[in-house]
Amino acid sequence: MNEKEPGVAKSLCIAAVITGVFMLFILVVILAFSAGGSSGESLYDKDDPILELDVDTFSAAIYGSKKAHFIEFYSSWCGACIGYAPTFKKFAKQLEKWAPLVQVTVVNCADDKNMPLCREHSVSSYPSLRYFKYNSHNKDDGMKYSGDKYDINKLAHDIAGLAQADAQKQNPESWPTFLPLSDTTTLEEVFKSIGTTSYLAIVVQDSPSVIAWANLINYHGNNGVKVAYVTQNHPIATKFFSDGGVHALLFSNGNQEPLWKSSSPVDKWVDVQDKIDELIGDKIAASGPTVHPINAAPVIAAPSNPLNNQYEVQLVDLKSAMSYMLYKEIPRREEIRDEPMAVLKQWMHTLKKYAPGTTPMRRLFFRLDEWIQLQSVVTANEWITKVDEIQQALGNPLPKEITWMACAGSKPNLRGYTCGLWTLAHTITVEAYKQEKHNTAFKPVIDVLEPFRAFIFHFLSCSECAQNFTKEAEKNQLHLVTRPEDVYAWLWRVHNFVNKRLSGSLTDDPSFKKQQFPPKSLCADCYDANGDIDEAKALPFVFKYYSNIKTDSTDNLPGYKVVEYKEGKTLSAGQRHLNPKFQVHAGKVDQLEANDKVKNVLDASPQRTWKDIDGYGVLGVPHR
């Protein structure tokens, strides 16, 4: 070794360290770009008395359990679910003591690994509430709750009714009987029956005695107080009340005079609990410590990507929106038929004509459209299998792993798919105008806008979001859109109305506030002297904005496969990459698909002479 070699070795070591650090930085950036792919961050945490299950823990916790479960199937990116979470947390807190009999539970269907579980339970919209009875055996034991989920008092009363019916049918050993005291039972006999328990609460209510049942559940197993109930004609009831309403009493054991009796009819079960807690809360001890359910492991939110720009139309966001739509949203239901099938056919046909993206991406929708038009019923597995088949044939133009760039939120469950879907819709409307502005047969509503509205209504899993979009369509007179240019102008106006309505809501990303588009920072000239948007200047800007699809990405540039044939045999195949300027909307795909059909036929039988095939206008190939 000469005297220069140690210096060279040292330089190489330093270079290796620098390279390693740089690669680690790149990895962190890539992870930041990919944050929120599965939107798996929970809307609930360890401080909430809620059991969070996933595909690995669901069956063991629910099936064969000696308690009932009231489950919210939710999606952490769903605006309605984000908005409902505080209500459900409050509801769960009220029912915290019910856990030994009825456990408040959640499942996050936005977590990719839970998709099969949610599909198995036919959860096609969120939030979806289900009651699973005591000793449930399978998914069919889950009863969908269709009442007002925001009225948590009524919700608790309804669950108490379900639990009472469950108890009457199955007679669980560890549950209360849910039966009223007989008309001949005296107060003295009730005192004797509760033994050394210090206090007795009696609820007066005829059937359905939901307030009484709720308090039976709430205090079941509590050694300090016992709950019983009587009908309004019972001697105990008539002794203390004469108005015939729902009432409650609280006694010290053995004392005929109540510590408290309701002065007016009771409307909510929780009013009884609150009064008991006020009077003797510090004196009654539960049979055991309150058990807080163990939630799923917390998801650590990746840092917000410092490199992204909210105001860009990125190809990676369009790809991710398409992928999530095809692999997650459409196959949420186990079977697609009837009206949803008709809607899916219309939407695929719209995407076939106007979807943005590279040639392979648009060929994907061309082939999906051809296939779906021939179907009457499609299962979720059949749909996914077909998408996979076409994807593989085209070199997988859409990613399986979801990555957001301009649509990335400050948390994994914010923005993401909803941002990507809006962006996709805007680019479709702009492309439709480009293609059809001189076509007198073009119908903006029939060809583009109504297929999108109907798809949102039937397939957007955030059910309230879907319903609200239909209301916006009606309010903004979708049926009156006739001019070609209004195909993109109408959607832009509606999006601004939605942003105004949702600004400042729980769904609003604090780092990317909802505002009118375009903001002044992008187009100061788009505003008049009064600070209002000037449509005459804003619309050209919107058109240009959604026409400029950027291809910034951490991935390699999309490619296409080149195959050379001679006499029906493959001579060579290679991968080439598209020039970034020509990747998006690089011509129509119809002829490419037609040529592929001819190629496939020639490969199968190269000695035949072909004429026009399937109406695609392919001329005959001479016999050789």
Side-chain angles (χ1 to χ4, degrees):
M1 179 182 292
N2 61 44
E3 59 183 9
K4 294 183 178 181
E5 285 180 334
V8 173
K10 183 176 180 180
S11 299
L12 289 174
C13 289
I14 293 173
V17 170
I18 294 173
T19 301
V21 172
F22 177 74
M23 293 304 294
L24 180 61
F25 170 76
I26 293 297
L27 177 60
V28 170
V29 171
I30 291 173
L31 289 174
F33 269 86
S34 300
S38 67
S39 301
E41 184 177 77
S42 176
L43 297 182
Y44 304 97
D45 56 46
K46 61 182 179 59
D47 295 324
D48 299 315
I50 295 173
L51 175 65
E52 181 139 23
L53 299 176
D54 59 25
V55 68
D56 299 321
T57 58
F58 186 91
S59 295
I62 304 300
Y63 302 141
S65 174
K66 302 310 176 186
K67 64 171 71 175
H69 291 78
F70 190 71
I71 305 178
E72 180 201 13
F73 290 92
Y74 75 97
S75 172
S76 52
W77 63 258
C78 164
C81 300
I82 294 171
Y84 184 59
T87 299
F88 200 69
K89 289 183 178 187
K90 183 178 179 181
F91 164 74
K93 188 66 178 176
Q94 279 193 4
L95 269 62
E96 184 172 10
K97 296 176 184 176
W98 295 30
L101 273 66
V102 180
Q103 175 67 65
V104 177
T105 309
V106 294
V107 173
N108 184 7
C109 295
D111 191 329
D112 285 349
K113 76 174 188 176
N114 293 334
M115 286 295 297
L117 173 65
C118 299
R119 186 180 300 123
E120 177 189 357
H121 288 82
S122 301
V123 182
S124 59
S125 61
Y126 308 114
S128 181
L129 304 179
R130 310 285 175 91
Y131 175 84
F132 281 80
K133 65 183 183 180
Y134 169 94
N135 199 29
S136 288
H137 294 296
N138 53 51
K139 63 182 180 62
D140 296 328
D141 287 329
M143 179 185 299
K144 186 174 182 179
Y145 181 77
S146 55
D148 183 357
K149 60 181 175 287
Y150 288 96
D151 186 345
I152 60 176
N153 295 304
K154 177 68 163 54
L155 182 55
H157 292 173
D158 290 342
I159 293 172
L162 291 170
Q164 184 270 347
D166 204 357
Q168 294 300 104
K169 185 175 182 180
Q170 300 197 66
N171 194 28
E173 292 182 5
S174 58
W175 283 32
T177 63
F178 288 94
L179 294 175
L181 299 176
S182 70
D183 289 344
T184 60
T185 302
T186 66
L187 192 55
E188 291 82 356
E189 290 172 332
V190 182
F191 285 146
K192 288 180 181 179
S193 70
I194 66 173
T196 59
T197 301
S198 300
Y199 298 96
L200 168 68
I202 295 180
V203 177
V204 178
Q205 187 177 25
D206 287 342
S207 185
S209 311
V210 291
I211 292 176
W213 298 335
N215 280 283
L216 278 171
I217 297 171
N218 192 59
Y219 290 104
H220 180 67
N222 190 302
N223 292 327
V225 61
K226 297 298 180 185
V227 176
Y229 77 100
V230 298
T231 61
Q232 292 172 348
N233 292 326
H234 193 283
I236 295 176
T238 57
K239 177 181 178 180
F240 293 101
F241 307 104
S242 59
D243 60 8
V246 179
H247 283 281
L249 298 151
L250 179 64
F251 297 91
S252 291
N253 193 348
N255 192 331
Q256 294 281 337
E257 289 300 315
L259 292 172
W260 165 76
K261 71 172 186 176
S262 55
S263 58
S264 59
V266 176
D267 294 324
K268 303 184 291 289
W269 82 273
V270 74
D271 291 340
V272 178
Q273 174 194 245
D274 291 345
K275 196 63 180 181
I276 292 174
D277 288 349
E278 175 190 334
L279 295 173
I280 59 171
D282 59 338
K283 299 176 182 178
I284 57 176
S287 57
T290 301
V291 178
H292 289 275
I294 299 174
N295 282 268
V299 176
I300 301 173
S304 179
N305 176 14
L307 302 179
N308 80 350
N309 185 341
Q310 176 189 8
Y311 293 114
E312 289 179 342
V313 179
Q314 288 285 356
L315 183 63
V316 68
D317 291 329
L318 295 174
K319 284 183 174 184
S320 290
M322 291 173 176
S323 179
Y324 197 91
M325 175 182 69
L326 294 179
Y327 283 108
K328 311 297 183 185
E329 289 287 89
I330 291 174
R332 286 194 187 278
R333 62 195 79 201
E334 289 188 304
E335 194 175 75
I336 305 170
R337 60 164 64 239
D338 303 326
E339 186 175 354
M341 172 58 80
V343 167
L344 183 58
K345 289 180 178 181
Q346 291 174 346
W347 180 233
M348 286 300 110
H349 197 63
T350 298
L351 287 167
K352 167 192 172 180
K353 293 189 289 185
Y354 310 121
T358 63
T359 297
M361 289 165 64
R362 291 181 295 123
R363 292 181 78 170
L364 168 64
F365 288 110
F366 187 100
R367 296 184 187 185
L368 266 179
D369 178 63
E370 280 197 328
W371 173 73
I372 199 65
Q373 301 302 333
L374 302 177
Q375 313 303 314
S376 57
V377 179
V378 171
T379 67
N381 287 335
E382 289 171 343
W383 171 267
I384 293 172
T385 298
K386 191 63 181 180
V387 174
D388 275 339
E389 175 190 313
I390 300 174
Q391 278 260 86
Q392 291 170 13
L394 294 171
N396 294 300
L398 298 183
K400 283 290 186 71
E401 183 175 343
I402 305 302
T403 302
W404 304 114
M405 187 175 290
C407 281
S410 61
K411 293 182 178 180
N413 65 306
L414 296 177
R415 304 185 77 231
Y417 177 61
T418 50
C419 168
L421 190 60
W422 273 115
T423 305
L424 175 61
H426 285 299
T427 57
I428 286 172
T429 58
V430 165
E431 179 62 22
Y433 176 64
K434 288 180 183 178
Q435 292 187 30
E436 311 290 0
K437 59 185 175 182
H438 301 304
N439 181 5
T440 57
F442 176 58
K443 306 292 183 184
V445 174
I446 295 174
D447 295 337
V448 180
L449 297 175
E450 176 55 22
F452 178 63
R453 184 212 64 80
F455 176 77
I456 293 299
F457 185 81
H458 285 279
F459 289 93
L460 184 65
S461 55
C462 178
S463 58
E464 291 184 25
C465 308
Q467 293 167 11
N468 286 335
F469 185 74
T470 288
K471 291 177 182 177
E472 292 287 355
E474 293 171 354
K475 186 190 305 181
N476 289 276
Q477 299 180 309
L478 172 62
H479 64 286
L480 296 182
V481 176
T482 55
R483 299 184 306 171
E485 59 267 31
D486 284 336
V487 69
Y488 73 90
W490 181 89
L491 189 69
W492 165 71
R493 294 187 191 103
V494 169
H495 196 173
N496 271 342
F497 282 128
V498 171
N499 278 347
K500 184 176 181 180
R501 175 168 56 82
L502 295 179
S503 178
S505 70
L506 291 173
T507 64
D508 203 359
D509 191 322
S511 299
F512 303 97
K513 291 288 189 179
K514 296 185 188 299
Q515 56 184 308
Q516 297 300 282
F517 185 85
K520 290 182 180 179
S521 59
L522 280 187
C523 182
D525 291 340
C526 293
Y527 289 78
D528 61 23
N530 296 321
D532 298 322
I533 290 180
D534 183 346
E535 284 202 1
K537 295 180 179 178
L539 283 173
F541 178 90
V542 170
F543 180 82
K544 183 178 179 181
Y545 176 87
Y546 285 108
S547 298
N548 182 22
I549 300 176
K550 298 182 180 297
T551 56
D552 301 343
S553 177
T554 57
D555 300 328
N556 292 327
L557 292 175
Y560 60 95
K561 190 175 183 180
V562 177
V563 182
E564 294 184 15
Y565 295 91
K566 183 176 182 180
E567 296 181 355
K569 296 181 179 180
T570 302
L571 293 181
S572 63
Q575 190 78 10
R576 295 182 184 174
H577 289 287
L578 298 163
N579 185 316
K581 294 182 179 180
F582 304 106
Q583 290 176 45
V584 181
H585 290 306
K588 294 184 179 295
V589 300
D590 305 56
Q591 191 60 46
L592 291 173
E593 287 296 307
N595 292 342
D596 256 15
K597 286 188 175 225
V598 173
K599 174 183 67 64
N600 291 336
V601 174
L602 289 172
D603 287 347
S605 182
Q607 300 305 313
R608 296 187 59 181
T609 300
W610 297 97
K611 297 183 179 179
D612 182 51
I613 299 176
D614 294 334
Y616 282 85
V618 181
L619 298 178
V621 179
H623 175 74
R624 294 184 180 180

